[in-house]
Amino acid sequence: MSGEADRAEDGGTVEVLIPLALDQAYSYAVPPGLVLAPGDVVQVPLGPRQTVGVVWERGAGRGGNLKAVTAKLDMPPLDGALMKLVDWVAWYTLAPKGSVLALALRRPPEDGPERPKLGVRLVGAPPARMTPARARAIAAAEGGLLIAKSALAEAASVSAAVIDALVDAGTFAVEPLPREAVAAMPDPDHAAPALSEDQAAAAAALVASVRAATYGVTLLEGVTGSGKTEVYFEAVAEAVRLGRQSLILMPEIALTAQFIDRFEARFGVRPGLWHSAVTGRRRERLQAAIASGEAKVVAGARSALFLPYRDLGLIVVDEEHEAAYKQEDGVAYHARDMAVVRGRIENAPVILTSATPSLETRVNAERGRYTHLKLPERFGGRTLPTLGLVDLRQDKPPRGRWISDTLAKAMTANLEAGEQSLLFLNRRGYAPLTLCRDCGHRFQCPNCSAWLVDHRFRRALVCHHCGHVERRPHECPQCHAQESLTACGPGVERLAEEVATLFPQARGIVLSSDFPGGTERLKTELMAVASGEFDIVIGTQLVAKGHNFPGMTLVGVVDADLGLTSGDPRAAERTFQVLRQVTGRAGRGEKPGRALLQTHDPAHPVLKALVSGDPERFYAAEIAAREAAGLPPFGRLAALIVSANNQPEAEAHARALARCAEAPEGVAVLGPAEAPLAVLRGRHRMRLIVKTERGVDLQAYLRGWLARCGKPKGSVRVAVDVDPQSFL
DNA sequence: AGCACGCCGACT
DNA sequence: GTCGGCGTGCTC
């Protein structure tokens, strides 16, 4: 309701931030009798309707005829630290403040009391009429325990109707189930692990940082299997002992049963779990438990960063280099960076863990901004695989083949020894390009100008950028020549053909994200690989991490140069990380492993650093190269301009940006082909993603650029990829 | 996010 | 002639 009823004459004014895409707080009058403080959640009239908002500050209102706050909601107020975080993130990401608030604001509690779930208990005599289904249900309820209806139905493989009938017969009694604990109290001493000397030393340092209860960032570096998780669990345990809360941020996919089991084994209970699949009342209750301080440990995906912790004593960012920490739609932020910022605001220690730290984290560690803890390479005396390069200029496979003689020999030896081999090729499908032998026509995506990838299993040409699919024709659409279409280059499917010809007796399998049968089938196949049911695995990035394959002793990287040539300023870093991960798959069991990397450029610094076995070399070389070029220590300034419907305009803007940044050579324009799927599908006519690194005053140049281009405010969306350390 | 205003295509 | 598509703009 609007109009005179909303207006009030005295009682002062407040600035209320509304969780919508609004950059400013709005002024409202405070009706007499209402006392409001910053952080209070209120209901306010906005246009024709009522909305929630948060009192952001007091009194700075512009006077005049203001609408009045309708009511103060019965919710815990946002605490000062969280408000500060919202302000900071909005400032830093150039997102409207209200949008950032929307990430942090709890939904007002749903109306009505929570309906408890019902369970049944075996109480009475068996029913007069017995059936096999009824007998199963009764047997499953043996012992008189209270069981959830659905769980009982599942266990006895009967329908809910059978159970309802038994309730009517008086055999079962219905009782409300106790509410599922959303965050039980972890026991810091439930099962303290036996740590190696190095692990114990690292754990002690982390425990000390938790005790000190001051902001500071520690990079905990160690390869998979070095026990990083056990080590940071000690810091979590210490926070629990001190009665303080811990946040463990992880990429969404890492929130797996495996992690939860490890946590439960260490602390006796599950952590509070926060991710997109947690919804409704459960979400609400966990939020309440976090706000009250009752939930001591939260393990969550990036959105967990904005939860209303009451007393945050520790933040852990697991696998800090993961790209999944980057949110690109809506408010664009990097959760790892914002975690550091939250740590600063809350004055809490932050632990970043990784086997292959991102360059910016590495630089921060080297410059002493972060404490650097390293765990020795492998736990339990296992050695790292030996790495070697295969020079494809000398050892050239025949036309249409991609496995060199050297690699093939190594695979044969492995086969004869009964050991597994992995062929890594980060290319899904059969062939990345299809062309007409007669006229040279190349199949291109109508939406994004990328080449269409031939998928033979699916009998289709697929665009890997936007998802466009078309049938693979029999004749050339341009010159109508018959049987003239040729596949160019290898994909995993095509590699599988080559493997089948070279090693007809081997049991091979192709593992990629488009595995026929979906993720469930894929999981069972991964287990089958782990138990040795296949001799040769041909895989994309998917096989780089996760499952352990103890019988794998050889990794062949089919094209180590792939990814080194793209315009992405992080190309070298990404390639280094993925190659390090995938080659590390060899020799995880009893026997030592080795890896062969096929390349046309054996002198490439990334590859040289890799085979040297010393990751420091890579980081040092990368940083030195940038310094020599007069660029910021990590990353060039780069702009990724994406336009689904106006490519020339987008490129013009990129050039304008380059001029504004006064670093024309430092700006790379990447066409929409490289754009993330979400962006192309997005509704925005234009979207600009600016990637920049330390040393560039992002705010200044972007605001300047917007002004100079005469772009109206809000017409360009900006995603940020820059280390916030320089602003702290 | 809603909700209004506004300007171009197929219909009672 | 209107109904309705969603593009743009506004909400203290």
Side-chain angles (χ1 to χ4, degrees), chain A residues 407-419 421 503 554 594:
Chain A
L407 181 54
K409 276 190 186 128
M411 290 173 73
T412 308
N414 239 35
L415 260 178
E416 282 163 2
E419 293 167 19
S421 306
F503 314 100
L554 173 70
R594 70 164 169 150

Side-chain angles (χ1 to χ4, degrees), chain A residues 300-374:
Chain A
R302 59 189 178 215
S303 60
L305 189 61
F306 292 97
L307 287 166
Y309 304 95
R310 195 186 152 173
D311 179 28
L312 200 51
L314 172 68
I315 301 175
V316 178
V317 182
D318 201 25
E319 304 295 335
E320 67 82 28
H321 62 278
E322 280 287 328
Y325 282 123
K326 246 189 245 184
Q327 164 122 70
E328 307 222 69
D329 38 38
V331 180
Y333 64 93
H334 197 302
R336 176 248 286 143
D337 293 345
M338 296 310 116
V340 170
V341 172
R342 184 144 200 192
R344 165 97 254 190
I345 291 173
E346 304 269 359
N347 203 21
V350 179
I351 301 169
L352 309 178
T353 86
S354 179
T356 50
S358 58
L359 214 49
E360 60 272 25
T361 295
R362 168 63 67 132
V363 169
N364 282 324
E366 259 162 36
R367 299 204 166 165
R369 273 202 186 96
Y370 295 172
T371 308
H372 197 175
L373 295 177
K374 263 191 227 172

Side-chain angles (χ1 to χ4, degrees), chain A residues 81-266:
Chain A
L82 193 48
M83 292 172 70
K84 220 165 156 186
L85 181 72
V86 169
D87 280 333
W88 205 95
V89 172
W91 167 77
Y92 180 76
T93 63
L94 300 175
K97 262 189 195 177
S99 304
V100 181
L101 175 64
L103 300 173
L105 190 65
R106 306 212 255 148
R107 311 277 151 268
E110 281 174 41
D111 292 329
E114 189 175 345
R115 198 163 46 89
K117 278 193 175 169
L118 296 178
V120 292
R121 190 197 293 279
L122 183 62
V123 286
R129 201 170 293 147
M130 193 52 118
T131 67
R134 288 180 174 192
R136 280 204 306 278
I138 291 166
E142 205 59 54
L145 287 171
L146 185 62
I147 311 169
K149 256 193 207 176
S150 51
L152 181 58
E154 169 103 18
S157 53
V158 300
S159 72
V162 173
I163 295 172
D164 286 338
L166 287 170
V167 169
D168 289 340
T171 310
F172 288 158
V174 179
E175 283 173 47
L177 283 170
R179 287 205 321 195
E180 207 183 332
V182 78
M185 189 64 182
D187 174 5
D189 304 308
H190 179 77
L195 297 177
S196 72
E197 213 171 293
D198 299 290
Q199 288 175 323
L206 296 179
V207 164
S209 77
V210 171
R211 281 206 196 121
T214 50
Y215 165 76
V217 183
T218 305
L219 167 61
L220 177 62
E221 186 179 351
V223 296
T224 324
S226 62
K228 289 192 295 282
T229 314
E230 286 72 20
V231 169
Y232 77 67
F233 274 176
E234 292 314 297
V236 172
E238 186 62 18
V240 173
R241 281 186 204 108
L242 295 170
R244 309 194 66 196
Q245 293 173 292
S246 305
L247 162 64
I248 304 172
L249 270 186
M250 32 196 14
E252 183 116 18
I253 38 150
L255 280 167
T256 53
Q258 260 182 53
F259 170 80
I260 298 163
D261 290 348
R262 283 170 85 180
F263 188 92
E264 198 168 355
R266 172 65 183 81

Side-chain angles (χ1 to χ4, degrees), chain A residues 568-586:
Chain A
D568 188 334
R570 288 182 184 270
E573 189 183 346
R574 292 256 155 80
T575 307
F576 180 78
Q577 285 169 345
V578 74
L579 291 182
R580 212 166 128 76
Q581 276 168 356
V582 78
T583 54
R585 310 253 63 183

Side-chain angles (χ1 to χ4, degrees), chain A residues 37-52:
Chain A
D40 283 342
V41 184
V42 291
Q43 189 183 58
V44 290
L46 183 72
R49 70 218 132 94
Q50 296 284 323
T51 345
V52 288

